[in-house]
Amino acid sequence: MKPKSDEKYEILLERLLLKGIELRFTPNLYPLREAILASDFKGYGIHRFKNAKKL
């Protein structure tokens, strides 16, 4: 399937922040994963977590 259009986005981080989107960066996803698994949240999914490196 071909895309309907092709648009180039520049300064993507700035555009996301201007829309009020919160961005978080972390060097280690394991604490987040463990907290989610310990909670009652059922819609959890993290793609390719097996590729994450444990620090």
Side-chain angles (χ1 to χ4, degrees):
M1 177 182 255
K2 292 184 180 182
K4 292 181 182 180
S5 66
D6 184 12
E7 293 183 46
K8 182 176 181 179
Y9 290 104
E10 302 206 15
I11 54 174
L12 186 57
L13 287 179
E14 182 180 334
R15 289 177 60 137
L16 293 172
L17 293 172
L18 287 172
K19 290 189 174 281
I21 296 171
E22 181 180 339
L23 298 173
R24 296 182 186 192
F25 299 91
T26 181
N28 187 350
L29 292 174
Y30 278 87
L32 174 62
R33 177 184 177 266
E34 296 306 316
I36 293 171
L37 291 175
S39 75
D40 61 353
F41 183 66
K42 302 295 181 212
Y44 171 70
I46 190 164
H47 303 292
R48 297 188 181 181
F49 190 81
K50 64 182 179 187
N51 295 335
K53 293 180 181 174
K54 199 168 194 174
L55 299 176

